[in-house]
Amino acid sequence: MNRKKIGNLFVIGYQGLNPSDDFLRFVEEWGIGGVIVFARNLEDPENLPDVLKKIQEAAGKKIFTAIDQEGGLVMRILKGGSLFQSAMGLAATGDETLVEATYEAIAKEMLSLGLNWNLAPVLDINHPDNPGIGARSFGDQPEQVARFGCAAVRGLQKAGVLSCAKHFPGKGNARVDSHLTLPVIDNSVSHLEQNELYPFKKAIEEKVAAIMTAHVFFPAFEKSPDLPATLSKSVLTDLLRHQLNYEGLLITDDLEMGAITESFGIADAASRSFAAGADQLLICHSLEQQKAAAEKIYELATQNAAYGARLEESLQRIEKARSKLVKDCRKESLKELNSLHANLIETTHEKAVKFMKKDSQMQNLSQNEALLVMYPEISALVQVEEFHNQQGLEACIKKEFPAAICVQYHPKDSESEIMSKFEKMIKSGKPEKLVFFTYNSHLFPEQTLAANSLADKFSHSTAIALRNPYDLTKLSSFTATAAVFSFRTPAIIAALKTLKGELEVSSEGWPIKMQKN
């Protein structure tokens, strides 16, 4: 058995700005099929093409160069790249052409850095209690997710980047985060066919290049207790290949996530997933785990004829996908594309702003308004763009409202901690109006309590949900509430423009069903 055949099955991540010599030796020895890039590898994106060239030379062939560049909440190209709107924010525009244009623009920026495979779009149908999807989803209705998801697939593949529908067979209804533990979705087969599977069926019709598995247990499809879909032959082969007739590339979600590692070793999980029907195995972080997984599958393929047959199946799909990769990625520079896409970024964020409750006193604020603005410390939880790392959200606020008193809180602060920060900042006199930027307050009840307590102290107040819009359903004390579906700078600027009356305030076209407070 040739080790370089086995190496084709792996898409792996590396640490730091430059891969280690040990990593490159592993890539060369096994002829690794692909690499995945994270923000940790992109301190200076302009250096990435040379790094990817070095990895490709070690592999001895054209490789898949993957990234999670979804837009909104999940983006890896932050420094110098465009800050694209989230999937749910794009759905809020109601415009398929904008969705397709956005993903085509994402693809062009990827190609400028040598990246040829976007592990997007998300085709999960979101549930309000899902802790990990939220605004990464196009909405909570299967038809809507399918419509905008297929537009995303078209945009990416029109530009020459492979797309990847995730997370099959759909983890929007999960109530725990699979990064930490195994979710269970116990809906019936008929429910799953009409809901979770629908967007994937449409993406297959759209000829999506790849599909990513979900680390979720579906009792309706898999009889072995607590076996994640990623490791289930019933899901990956019987359902996806045979029932849905999918012939494209099938890649796992990261095998180092908690939903896998709490019950399985990573090498064991890799071999199980491959046997179940996965073509490529994603291991994003540990070189030692990557080596162990490759050795495990090599050993099994050498000893087991059935494994050898499975290997040939996957190699054929991998080669077919590889043949679609563009030969010359770089056409325009990232800087040039960032400038070209500026109007698209502004338009998609401005059209996404949605108000649940309106208050005319909070929609025509003067530049010198006496405002109290409470805002979350976002960088404590996620990686944000360089602008926010250096200056914070406060810089955006002060530019539009120089007289505002700005108070930062941590999203997980208790009600008393948030109220204490408020009290310390207003000893010299209380401002007249309140703007409270929330961050997942529907999942952090203390944040909700504090927000409502503060709103009760003001005659006029606006809550603006920066990440998931479900925050607004619990903020009954505010006189105005709005969602922007992203915490990125363009979303914040769009929100501030609505407060100044520079943008039309819209309450129509919500991408999800919202229960009014």
Side-chain angles (χ1 to χ4, degrees):
M1 176 59 66
N2 188 336
R3 284 179 174 239
K4 293 195 173 184
K5 279 191 171 185
I6 301 296
N8 276 291
L9 303 176
F10 289 89
V11 177
I12 58 175
Y14 61 95
Q15 299 298 321
L17 303 182
N18 290 288
S20 66
D21 290 341
D22 196 14
F23 179 90
L24 291 173
R25 281 193 293 271
F26 175 59
V27 170
E28 182 176 7
E29 179 185 359
W30 290 84
I32 292 300
V35 66
I36 182 169
V37 173
F38 290 90
R40 68 180 185 237
N41 313 123
L42 282 165
E43 187 174 304
D44 185 354
E46 292 297 335
N47 289 336
L48 185 64
D50 289 338
V51 172
L52 295 177
K53 183 180 178 183
K54 187 189 303 183
I55 297 172
Q56 182 161 289
E57 287 173 349
K61 59 177 179 288
K62 184 78 173 176
I63 63 170
F64 299 103
T65 50
I67 193 169
D68 296 290
Q69 191 72 355
E70 297 174 11
L73 318 180
V74 176
M75 283 194 291
R76 313 305 189 196
I77 306 168
L78 295 172
K79 184 177 180 180
S82 298
L83 299 173
F84 296 100
Q85 177 58 285
S86 69
M88 194 173 285
L90 289 171
T93 71
D95 191 338
E96 271 181 70
T97 60
L98 278 179
V99 178
E100 186 170 335
T102 294
Y103 280 84
E104 184 177 4
I106 289 173
K108 288 178 178 179
E109 294 196 10
M110 287 175 54
L111 290 170
S112 78
L113 300 180
L115 296 160
N116 55 35
W117 189 7
N118 195 356
L119 302 182
V122 171
L123 294 191
D124 302 317
I125 301 164
N126 193 58
H127 185 281
D129 293 335
N130 188 306
I133 299 298
R136 296 171 64 194
S137 165
F138 288 105
D140 58 7
Q141 299 301 309
E143 295 82 4
Q144 176 174 296
V145 172
R147 182 162 62 95
F148 291 121
C150 286
V153 169
R154 288 195 299 274
L156 289 169
Q157 297 189 170
K158 181 166 67 174
V161 162
L162 302 183
S163 63
C164 181
K166 62 187 186 185
H167 307 80
F168 184 83
K171 70 172 186 176
N173 209 32
R175 309 303 167 85
V176 296
D177 190 345
S178 58
H179 287 86
L180 306 175
T181 190
L182 179 67
V184 178
I185 296 178
D186 58 2
N187 292 327
S188 67
V189 170
S190 61
H191 176 93
L192 293 167
E193 287 178 343
Q194 293 171 33
N195 291 275
E196 277 78 357
L197 294 183
Y198 183 80
F200 290 98
K201 291 175 184 176
K202 291 300 179 182
I204 291 169
E205 291 175 12
E206 198 66 53
K207 301 194 182 307
V208 64
I211 288 177
M212 177 181 283
T213 68
H215 299 334
V216 178
F217 174 47
F218 291 85
F221 297 136
E222 175 54 59
K223 301 311 176 189
S224 299
D226 296 327
L227 188 67
T230 295
L231 312 184
S232 168
K233 187 175 182 180
S234 298
V235 174
L236 303 190
T237 297
D238 297 345
L239 176 61
L240 182 59
R241 295 294 187 196
H242 297 162
Q243 188 174 325
L244 301 185
N245 298 313
Y246 178 61
E247 297 177 353
L249 206 57
L250 180 57
I251 184 170
T252 70
D253 204 344
D254 182 14
L255 293 173
E256 292 172 287
M257 289 164 60
I260 297 295
T261 59
E262 67 180 354
S263 299
F264 303 92
I266 292 169
D268 179 45
S271 66
R272 284 172 177 252
S273 184
F274 173 66
D279 300 309
Q280 292 204 298
L281 308 162
L282 184 62
I283 305 178
C284 295
H285 306 288
S286 168
L287 179 57
E288 292 310 308
Q289 295 291 353
Q290 293 160 2
K291 290 179 178 179
E295 291 286 0
K296 175 81 171 179
I297 292 183
Y298 176 77
E299 177 187 344
L300 291 170
T302 303
Q303 298 171 353
N304 189 321
Y307 248 74
R310 265 289 298 118
L311 178 61
E312 292 307 317
E313 285 178 24
S314 287
L315 290 177
Q316 287 178 23
R317 294 190 195 106
I318 290 166
E319 287 308 313
K320 185 176 180 181
R322 185 180 280 124
S323 70
K324 297 176 182 176
L325 298 178
V326 295
K327 292 181 180 177
D328 181 22
C329 285
R330 286 178 75 89
K331 294 178 181 176
E332 299 123 321
S333 70
L334 184 62
K335 185 177 181 180
E336 290 169 331
L337 290 166
N338 181 276
S339 178
L340 287 171
H341 296 154
N343 288 339
L344 175 66
I345 300 303
E346 183 177 55
T347 298
T348 52
H349 284 85
E350 290 182 355
K351 286 193 171 186
V353 181
K354 298 296 174 189
F355 274 74
M356 180 176 285
K357 290 167 67 175
K358 297 180 184 179
D359 176 356
S360 59
Q361 293 291 314
M362 294 299 297
Q363 288 154 19
N364 291 283
L365 300 177
S366 70
Q367 188 176 31
N368 297 314
E369 200 86 37
L371 288 177
L372 169 66
V373 182
M374 304 288 295
Y375 69 94
E377 183 187 351
I378 301 168
S379 60
L381 299 180
V382 295
Q383 186 150 12
V384 296
E385 62 267 26
E386 185 187 11
F387 178 86
H388 277 168
N389 281 330
Q390 290 179 346
Q391 302 178 59
L393 198 154
E394 186 170 336
C396 292
I397 299 165
K398 284 290 191 180
K399 183 178 179 182
E400 302 297 331
F401 298 102
I405 295 174
C406 297
V407 180
Q408 187 183 68
Y409 68 93
H410 192 286
K412 295 182 180 179
D413 276 347
S414 68
E415 179 187 15
S416 62
E417 286 172 327
I418 295 174
M419 295 303 290
S420 175
K421 290 173 182 177
F422 158 72
E423 297 289 351
K424 286 178 183 176
M425 289 297 293
I426 63 161
K427 287 182 179 177
S428 59
K430 191 178 79 173
E432 296 173 4
K433 296 173 182 176
L434 169 69
V435 176
F436 196 113
F437 287 97
T438 68
Y439 185 93
N440 273 5
S441 65
H442 72 294
L443 300 177
F444 304 135
E446 290 286 312
Q447 187 187 140
T448 298
L449 289 171
N452 280 324
S453 294
L454 278 172
D456 287 336
K457 298 178 181 292
F458 292 82
S459 299
H460 299 282
S461 56
T462 299
I464 299 173
L466 283 183
R467 181 162 176 164
N468 290 321
Y470 307 106
D471 295 0
L472 307 184
T473 63
K474 300 178 184 294
L475 299 174
S476 56
S477 296
F478 285 83
T479 58
T481 55
V484 293
F485 307 98
S486 173
F487 52 74
R488 304 290 177 191
T489 302
I492 293 158
I493 291 172
L496 296 173
K497 282 184 176 181
T498 63
L499 296 179
K500 294 178 74 175
E502 295 176 5
L503 287 181
E504 183 179 348
V505 172
S506 171
S507 298
E508 303 301 319
W510 279 84
I512 53 173
K513 293 179 180 177
M514 293 287 284
Q515 179 183 349
K516 294 198 175 187
N517 54 52

